[in-house]
Amino acid sequence: EDAQVAAPSHAADAAPADAFFRNVAALCGRAYEGHVAVDSPTQQGMSPFNDRRLVMHVRDCNADTLRIPFVVGDDLSRTWVLTRTPSGLRLKHDHRHEDGSEDALTMYGGDSLDTGSATRQEFPADDESKALFEREDRAVSITNVWAMEIEPGDRFLYELSRPGRLFRVEFDLTRPVRPPPAPWGWRD
């Protein structure tokens, strides 16, 4: 896909979000290995991230949407979907089963509430996600705030925070790796 992503025609107040989007879009087609930088409190024995290879792949890019599979070991179920909105950005988490069908807990996330910066954007859980968490007995996640950071040419960070919980995965942008297979539900 083409890494050249045009600037949108919406309000100038979204300029930091647009710059962030362009910074991530510049990675289109490339994959990077990461590691868990913070897991507090540590989810020992419960975390699917323990002792598994973590890879993000900026796989599908157009002027308004970036799809970024997040591969955990052999698990190809997760894709971050970053979309431009009139006032900023939206982050959703697309979760699939191996047969490609949607997981019951999918397409949760939120919109950036302020302009953020060209290097960091935060996404508090939106009302749709809160209702999903309630329905799926995950009320603890209602206060989730996800964030993404990018230091072009250096690192990319994905973060989940809520009261009493902080989880961060950091990816090394200095060393691209071989892209993983297509996520579950996708076609090459």
Side-chain angles (χ1 to χ4, degrees), residues 8-9 14 17 25 30 32 79 93 110 131 139 142 157 160 169 173:
S9 58
R30 291 184 286 248
Y32 302 92
T79 300
H93 297 74
I142 288 173
L157 181 124
L160 161 68
V169 179
L173 300 182

Side-chain angles (χ1 to χ4, degrees), residues 79 81 91-96 102-103 105-109 126 128-129 132:
T79 300
V81 182
L91 173 65
K92 291 290 184 167
H93 297 74
D94 184 352
H95 288 260
R96 305 273 170 167
E102 289 185 350
D103 189 271
L105 199 62
T106 191
M107 297 314 288
Y108 58 85
D126 59 23
E128 180 181 295
S129 299
L132 174 66

Side-chain angles (χ1 to χ4, degrees), residues 3 8 15 18 21-23 26 38 49 57 61-62 66 77 80 89 95 100 117 119 130 137 140 170 184:
D18 290 338
F21 190 93
R22 285 191 302 273
N23 282 336
V38 178
F49 306 98
H57 179 199
C61 308
N62 66 47
L66 303 175
S77 66
W80 301 318
L89 296 172
H95 288 260
S117 74
T119 58
K130 291 174 184 179
D137 198 27
V140 68
E170 194 170 304
W184 297 337

Side-chain angles (χ1 to χ4, degrees), residues 163-183:
R165 179 82 174 115
L166 180 60
F167 176 77
R168 287 186 183 139
V169 179
E170 194 170 304
F171 298 88
D172 182 357
L173 300 182
T174 67
R175 299 170 52 192
V177 298
R178 175 178 293 216

Side-chain angles (χ1 to χ4, degrees), residues 3-20:
Q4 298 296 323
V5 178
S9 58
H10 55 73
D13 65 346
D18 290 338
F20 180 87

Side-chain angles (χ1 to χ4, degrees), residues 10-147:
H10 55 73
D13 65 346
D18 290 338
F20 180 87
F21 190 93
R22 285 191 302 273
N23 282 336
V24 178
L27 305 175
C28 199
R30 291 184 286 248
Y32 302 92
E33 193 164 344
H35 68 279
V36 175
V38 178
D39 188 4
S40 177
T42 302
Q43 307 290 299
Q44 293 181 342
M46 294 176 49
S47 176
F49 306 98
N50 290 342
D51 303 321
R52 307 214 21 225
R53 185 172 188 238
L54 308 177
V55 175
M56 66 172 271
H57 179 199
V58 185
R59 181 180 174 93
D60 183 42
C61 308
N62 66 47
D64 294 315
T65 304
L66 303 175
R67 287 181 176 80
I68 307 167
F70 173 40
V71 178
V72 180
D74 294 330
D75 183 338
L76 303 171
S77 66
R78 299 168 180 86
T79 300
W80 301 318
V81 182
L82 191 62
T83 307
R84 292 183 198 259
T85 67
S87 61
L89 296 172
R90 173 175 296 137
L91 173 65
K92 291 290 184 167
H93 297 74
D94 184 352
H95 288 260
R96 305 273 170 167
H97 295 286
E98 197 164 356
D99 67 1
S101 63
E102 289 185 350
D103 189 271
L105 199 62
T106 191
M107 297 314 288
Y108 58 85
D111 291 358
S112 54
L113 288 185
D114 59 32
T115 58
S117 74
T119 58
R120 183 174 171 92
Q121 294 287 316
E122 295 182 355
F123 309 90
D126 59 23
D127 290 341
E128 180 181 295
S129 299
K130 291 174 184 179
L132 174 66
F133 294 144
E134 284 282 353
R135 196 169 51 251
E136 294 299 318
D137 198 27
R138 300 283 182 100
V140 68
S141 298
I142 288 173
T143 57
N144 280 4
V145 177
W146 299 274

